[in-house]
Amino acid sequence: MTSFYSAPAGGAADTGAPGTVRPLRMRLAAALLLAVAASCRPDESEVCPPAVNISLDEAPELRWVPLLRVFDIHFLKEAAAEVIDSTVPKWVHEAVAPVVMALEKYIPQPYAGEIRGMASHFGGSLSDIIILNFAYEISAFCTSVVAQDKNGHIYHGRNLDYPHPVLRNLTIDVSFLRNGEVAYRGTSFAGYVGLWTGQSPNKFTVSGNERWWNWWKNVVSAFLLRRSPVSWLVRETLQEAENFEDAVMRLSKTPIITGVYYIVGGVQVGEGAVITRDRTGPADIWPLDPVNGRWFRVETNFDHWLPPPVRDHRREAANKALNATGQENINLETLFQVLSLYPVCNRITVYTTTMSAAAADKYSSLVRPQGCSAHA
């Protein structure tokens, strides 16, 4: 499958496929020029994802048309099929049949319109687009960090890990525009209407990490009961919440389809928290406590008050690296270094994001074409 992110610096790899790679290269270059206040400075081991502007002033059915300026339709179909075939149990295809038959009954606007528009413009079936969005709701392994420096500045970083290399080719930076201005932005995957990572400028930042459950049965049953997917709640919160406290309240109390960890960073001293979610409400809220020396929080995919599995050393490695960095030296660059250490970054890491809502123009996501290894 054609890869956007495996080329040496300065150009895309030419596979020799006629009429495919060169147009994709041109579209990718054009999309990168659409970045709004992007801060993406990769070295040889990372690549900037293409940037896409989505106008919230457009009808939902038309919003995601700009993806066609970035991706080849045939590539999107092949990639979506790969994700679905390797992720979604066969019985789920039958379970979503009622959703397809009565889309607006189960999926609220604007998501129903956006999903319907994707199916129309990308030439896929409505069922496949719905199932693809289900597949993307499994965020697999993740690491998120929220930290405060000595001057009270809040920094937020995350690695999103997923055992499907094709997602590195589907990663996009999305700026959601209202009246031509950035209302919020995030990093996502082509074909997905939700967000696992995002920033509301000068208000707050959010990342989501999966919390392990009996996933598919729980999710499908809860979805049919019209509860919100966890990534839709992130997007709604970015769009509607007025500040950090409002975001924490919404992310804590809104019913969702499965458990999750929401990590939130604000713009004021002490505005950082890890929210451990059950379906119906918070199991725990773990705030920053810089007055007592607890100036950072690390969340992976396990409840912070319990030890992680013996095989998983991400929490331990991140805690050790942050303590070695020190509160006086933490910033977006040193946070990125922490997130680049193995096994915090590992062979299935898809992308790394660093962000600070008070410095909205510094938002940066970088794709990890090869992930990270212990011998790098």
Side-chain angles (χ1 to χ4, degrees):
M1 184 169 292
T2 302
S3 172
F4 295 142
Y5 303 121
S6 60
D14 193 336
T15 64
T20 300
V21 174
R22 289 185 178 86
L24 285 176
R25 180 189 297 147
M26 294 170 64
R27 290 173 185 171
L28 193 56
L32 289 172
L33 294 176
L34 292 174
V36 176
S39 177
C40 187
R41 298 181 297 275
D43 62 22
E44 293 181 357
S45 60
E46 299 101 27
V47 177
C48 300
V52 179
N53 290 345
I54 300 300
S55 175
L56 299 173
D57 301 316
E58 293 275 8
E61 290 79 3
L62 301 176
R63 288 177 183 172
W64 292 96
V65 171
L67 282 179
L68 298 177
R69 295 196 290 268
V70 181
F71 295 98
D72 178 81
I73 289 181
H74 298 294
F75 170 79
L76 284 178
K77 288 182 177 180
E78 291 177 5
E82 180 177 331
V83 172
I84 291 171
D85 291 345
S86 60
T87 305
V88 184
K90 297 299 183 184
W91 65 265
V92 174
H93 294 250
E94 297 181 5
V96 301
V99 181
V100 176
M101 297 299 293
L103 185 66
E104 282 77 7
K105 178 180 178 181
Y106 294 100
I107 299 179
Q109 294 293 356
Y111 307 111
E114 291 182 9
I115 288 172
R116 194 181 296 281
M118 285 185 182
S120 173
H121 294 292
F122 303 155
S125 71
L126 193 56
S127 176
D128 282 347
I129 300 297
I130 293 169
I131 291 171
L132 180 65
N133 275 266
F134 267 135
Y136 282 154
E137 282 296 300
I138 304 179
S139 64
F141 291 98
C142 303
T143 300
S144 290
V145 176
V146 62
Q148 177 181 305
D149 71 10
K150 287 284 190 181
N151 296 315
H153 301 133
I154 305 297
Y155 304 104
H156 189 162
R158 73 106 86 253
N159 285 342
L160 190 141
D161 304 342
Y162 205 108
H164 296 297
V166 69
L167 292 185
R168 295 182 174 114
N169 298 340
L170 293 171
T171 303
I172 52 176
D173 263 348
V174 187
S175 292
F176 293 87
L177 308 181
R178 179 82 69 187
N179 298 322
E181 301 291 333
V182 177
Y184 59 98
R185 66 181 304 176
T187 303
S188 192
F189 302 119
Y192 190 34
V193 299
L195 287 174
W196 281 100
T197 307
Q199 172 182 273
S200 180
N202 303 306
K203 293 180 181 179
F204 59 90
T205 54
V206 186
S207 61
N209 292 11
E210 183 176 280
R211 189 181 184 207
W212 298 109
W213 290 65
N214 182 4
W215 206 90
W216 281 109
K217 289 183 179 179
N218 283 334
V219 164
V220 173
S221 62
F223 189 76
L224 294 176
L225 292 172
R226 302 184 187 89
R227 289 180 175 169
S228 173
V230 295
S231 68
W232 295 7
L233 180 55
V234 170
R235 185 172 158 191
E236 290 163 12
T237 300
L238 287 166
Q239 181 165 318
E240 298 173 6
E242 293 297 325
N243 51 41
F244 170 82
E245 290 186 1
D246 189 9
V248 170
M249 185 69 67
R250 291 168 184 265
L251 294 168
S252 297
K253 294 192 172 183
T254 305
I256 51 177
I257 61 176
T258 190
V260 70
Y261 304 100
Y262 288 128
I263 300 84
V264 193
V267 296
Q268 303 293 331
V269 172
E271 288 190 341
V274 175
I275 306 165
T276 301
R277 276 298 310 264
D278 293 330
R279 279 183 177 181
T280 56
D284 179 77
I285 299 178
W286 191 34
L288 289 175
D289 186 14
V291 173
N292 292 306
R294 300 177 180 89
W295 56 273
F296 67 83
R297 297 302 192 196
V298 174
E299 180 55 62
T300 55
N301 301 99
F302 306 97
D303 296 345
H304 70 84
W305 58 90
L306 298 174
V310 174
R311 70 183 185 279
D312 187 348
H313 301 288
R314 291 172 298 149
R315 182 199 294 176
E316 175 188 358
N319 283 331
K320 182 177 179 181
L322 286 162
N323 281 317
T325 300
Q327 189 178 11
E328 65 277 6
N329 295 315
I330 196 66
N331 54 47
L332 292 176
E333 289 73 23
T334 55
L335 181 54
F336 182 82
Q337 292 171 17
V338 170
L339 292 167
S340 299
L341 295 173
Y342 184 86
V344 182
C345 178
N346 51 74
R347 63 180 181 82
I348 63 169
T349 298
V350 175
Y351 69 79
T352 300
T353 299
T354 53
M355 51 192 169
S356 178
D361 61 324
K362 301 298 184 183
Y363 183 100
S364 175
S365 289
L366 293 174
V367 175
R368 308 273 193 173
Q370 306 301 325
C372 301
S373 69
H375 308 293

